[in-house]
Amino acid sequence: MLLASLLGLLMGLVMGLTGAGGGILGVPALVLGLGLSMTQAAPVSLLAVGAAAAVGAIDGLRHGLVRYRAALLIALLGALFSPLGVYFAHQLPEKLLMGLFSALMVLVAWRMLQREKVEAGPSDHGAASWGQKNCMLNQQTGRLAWTAKCSATLAALGAVTGAVSGLLGVGGGFLIVPAFKQLTDVQMRGIVATSLMVISLISLIGVGGALQAGVRIEPMGWVFIGASIVGMLAGRRLCAQVRARTLQVGFASLCVLVAAGMLLRALA
């Protein structure tokens, strides 16, 4: 139980510090640290990620940072595609799932280490130029302009996030945050808050699908979930005191190490 508490605390802490990316550490912590299988670990990780993300999302809603219409659309499509991911998770071999997860962690590490390009224009936080962004804020109202292109983009993002979430037991923040930066001119604080709301909704839906499929959460899993919420609260308090680049390099290095551990476990 102590190990479950420490691992949950670490995952929540990283999640709070990185703005949702730390959720990808949940499954490796449960598989490598607590000896669960991938199918056992996925719902525990999703519930821990969803509960911790909900804490951050509520804080974002209080401060008016969440783009809640966009979050609800992404979560709706995620809800439709998450059961598909859960279904395939129960059909694919354990070793293949672990290999896929390792590859995903390396991809997240690579994305994290890439230095962002600064472009001229009203928004400088994404790699796309001003004219290339699919979802733009209305300069008068400050809300997203809901064009057909914008709606289709967010719907597609929700579908992919939901399927990956159900398949591998991750919240999807590593997909949502860079996609929002690339395709919208929403500022970073709003992106993180919106991402946390989406993650909380999709994760809880994914947990429901897994429980329906017969997976049960053991007491050790509940300890991990509770500790992750505490870690999330601590991480959000500490994030302003740590340099962003230090967080990026540290998190990416941790992802590569954990990916190597997962791959060795899969090949054993």
Side-chain angles (χ1 to χ4, degrees), residues 177-190:
V177 170
F180 252 81
K181 287 168 68 178
Q182 181 80 10
L183 298 168
T184 79
D185 59 332
V186 176
Q187 294 303 304
M188 192 60 195
R189 289 180 69 209

Side-chain angles (χ1 to χ4, degrees), residues 184-223:
T184 79
D185 59 332
V186 176
Q187 294 303 304
M188 192 60 195
R189 289 180 69 209
I191 291 172
V192 170
T194 303
S195 172
L196 288 171
M197 182 174 177
V198 174
I199 291 165
S200 62
L201 292 171
I202 290 181
S203 297
L204 296 175
I205 291 163
V207 170
L211 293 177
Q212 250 188 340
V215 177
R216 290 291 172 263
I217 297 175
E218 301 297 328
M220 183 171 58
W222 290 111
V223 171

Side-chain angles (χ1 to χ4, degrees), residues 2-268:
L2 178 61
L3 182 58
S5 300
L6 290 173
L7 291 173
L9 194 65
L10 175 63
M11 190 204 78
L13 186 64
V14 175
M15 206 172 158
L17 286 170
T18 60
I24 199 171
L25 298 175
V27 168
L30 293 161
V31 171
L32 300 178
L34 301 180
L36 275 63
S37 69
M38 283 288 291
T39 48
Q40 288 173 324
V44 177
S45 175
L46 276 178
L47 189 51
V49 169
V55 172
I58 291 168
D59 186 53
L61 282 167
R62 281 177 49 237
H63 291 91
L65 296 171
V66 177
R67 302 285 166 178
Y68 58 88
R69 291 185 181 88
L72 289 172
L73 175 61
I74 296 170
L76 175 63
L77 269 295
L80 294 176
F81 281 83
S82 180
L84 184 66
V86 171
Y87 170 78
F88 279 111
H90 285 81
Q91 305 306 313
L92 295 175
E94 178 85 2
K95 289 183 184 295
L96 178 58
L97 284 174
M98 292 179 76
L100 287 172
F101 201 99
S102 299
L104 181 63
M105 293 200 77
V106 172
L107 175 63
V108 170
W110 176 72
R111 289 282 305 173
M112 186 69 74
L113 287 173
Q114 281 188 312
R115 288 189 179 274
E116 295 171 10
K117 300 173 186 175
V118 178
E119 303 285 347
S123 175
D124 64 4
H125 62 267
S129 68
W130 173 251
Q132 293 175 314
K133 292 184 183 290
N134 291 17
C135 295
M136 304 287 290
L137 293 174
N138 183 305
Q139 299 303 310
Q140 276 73 46
T141 64
R143 295 180 175 180
L144 284 173
W146 283 92
T147 62
K149 186 178 183 181
C150 180
S151 300
T153 297
L154 297 179
L157 176 59
V160 173
T161 302
V164 174
S165 172
L167 179 65
L168 298 176
V170 293
F174 64 92
L175 288 172
I176 299 166
V177 170
F180 252 81
K181 287 168 68 178
Q182 181 80 10
L183 298 168
T184 79
D185 59 332
V186 176
Q187 294 303 304
M188 192 60 195
R189 289 180 69 209
I191 291 172
V192 170
T194 303
S195 172
L196 288 171
M197 182 174 177
V198 174
I199 291 165
S200 62
L201 292 171
I202 290 181
S203 297
L204 296 175
I205 291 163
V207 170
L211 293 177
Q212 250 188 340
V215 177
R216 290 291 172 263
I217 297 175
E218 301 297 328
M220 183 171 58
W222 290 111
V223 171
F224 180 88
I225 290 162
S228 70
I229 297 172
V230 176
M232 177 67 165
L233 291 169
R236 284 185 67 80
R237 288 185 176 276
L238 291 172
C239 64
Q241 300 171 30
V242 185
R243 287 181 59 226
R245 190 62 185 168
T246 302
L247 283 175
Q248 289 174 337
V249 173
F251 180 64
S253 303
L254 185 59
C255 281
V256 171
L257 286 174
V258 173
M262 293 284 284
L263 194 56
L264 288 172
R265 174 79 178 266
L267 296 174

